[in-house]
Amino acid sequence: RRMNNKINQNNPWSIDPFSVLLDLKRHWWNILLMALAGAMLGVVAAIFLPGTAYTSSAVYAVLGNSSSPVSNVQNAKRVSTSMISVLGSDALESMVVKDLGGADYKLSASYIADTNLISVKATAATPRLAFLALKSALIHYPALMSNLTSDLYMVTLQAPQIPKTASFSDQLPAKIALGTLLLAGLYCGVVVLLSVLRDTVKNDSDMRHKVDARMIGKIPFLKGNRK
């Protein structure tokens, strides 16, 4: 077939969705490999890149005047909800900031399901700062919760300690997803770009514009029957 160069210059490329999808299908294995490579890069980034945080934690048991385990579990649920609100309050933040001198930190509390236990955590950029932030919060929060826990008391099961290793678990899922989407998306973009720029006949319109010949008909090809 002889190409019509004049017409081809006016239509240098065309977008055919079916052709693009077919090219992506042909490269599915490479796309999968790029996604796995991106996930591994996300893990490496979460571990080694600056911004990795350190978390200091403490665990408390909530007990009350009642000796019933069921009551203790219910009390723990109620106290954990109140503690989460207190840890995120401006009043506690001002107290901790006063102790630490305006340092950047994050406090959180979570109820351990089906128990009377509450886990309290502080996350910061350095191990010592995380420890000091949690220690300061645990010193000041009882005053803010005195009216909520008058009939309860809390027993320390795990005291705050200076963390020895970085806690990148919070960043890990996001960075894995980002790395996966970034590399796989970049490779898909290259495949799509090459598919669009490839100067081939992709559909009936290309046949009319790129080939200096008259199309008199089409013969379907069914790969399954190989006919």
Side-chain angles (χ1 to χ4, degrees):
R1 296 178 296 178
R2 183 165 58 88
M3 301 297 294
N4 188 333
N5 294 328
K6 183 177 180 180
I7 298 179
N8 191 40
Q9 290 176 358
N10 296 331
N11 298 276
W13 54 269
S14 62
I15 300 177
D16 181 67
F18 179 78
S19 179
V20 171
L21 291 176
L22 185 60
D23 286 335
L24 289 173
K25 180 180 178 181
R26 290 170 179 166
H27 289 81
W28 72 270
W29 180 247
N30 292 332
I31 295 173
L32 178 60
L33 291 178
M34 294 298 289
L36 293 176
M40 289 187 288
L41 287 177
V43 173
V44 173
I47 297 174
F48 294 106
L49 286 184
T52 299
Y54 292 85
T55 299
S56 179
S57 61
V59 177
Y60 288 89
V62 179
L63 302 175
N65 297 326
S66 172
S67 60
S68 170
V70 176
S71 298
N72 289 335
V73 171
Q74 293 175 346
N75 290 332
K77 289 182 180 179
R78 178 167 59 88
V79 171
S80 64
T81 302
S82 302
M83 182 176 287
I84 291 172
S85 300
V86 169
L87 290 177
S89 65
D90 295 336
L92 181 63
E93 181 180 0
S94 62
M95 296 177 181
V96 177
V97 167
K98 184 178 180 180
D99 291 343
L100 303 182
D104 187 16
Y105 66 93
K106 178 182 178 182
L107 297 172
S108 63
S110 60
Y111 167 69
I112 301 177
D114 301 325
T115 67
N116 64 325
L117 304 179
I118 295 176
S119 175
V120 186
K121 297 180 180 180
T123 303
T126 64
R128 179 173 175 78
L129 183 57
F131 169 73
L132 293 176
L134 180 59
K135 186 177 180 180
S136 176
L138 295 179
I139 291 174
H140 293 298
Y141 90 89
L144 302 176
M145 295 185 61
S146 58
N147 60 328
L148 300 174
T149 59
S150 57
D151 58 336
L152 303 174
Y153 61 95
M154 301 177 66
V155 178
T156 304
L157 297 184
Q158 177 184 317
Q161 295 181 350
I162 298 178
K164 298 179 180 180
T165 58
S167 57
F168 56 89
S169 58
D170 294 339
Q171 305 176 14
L172 189 58
K175 290 193 174 181
I176 287 179
L178 179 61
T180 301
L181 293 176
L182 185 62
L183 283 190
L186 182 62
Y187 187 84
C188 288
V190 172
V191 172
V192 171
L193 181 63
L194 293 177
S195 176
V196 171
L197 296 180
R198 190 168 61 248
D199 191 20
T200 58
V201 176
K202 304 180 181 71
N203 48 42
D204 294 353
S205 178
D206 285 351
M207 179 67 188
R208 297 186 182 96
H209 288 87
K210 295 182 178 181
V211 180
D212 188 16
R214 186 164 61 102
M215 185 175 70
I216 59 176
K218 295 186 296 182
I219 301 176
F221 174 73
L222 183 61
K223 187 176 181 181
N225 293 335
R226 299 185 181 278
K227 295 181 181 180

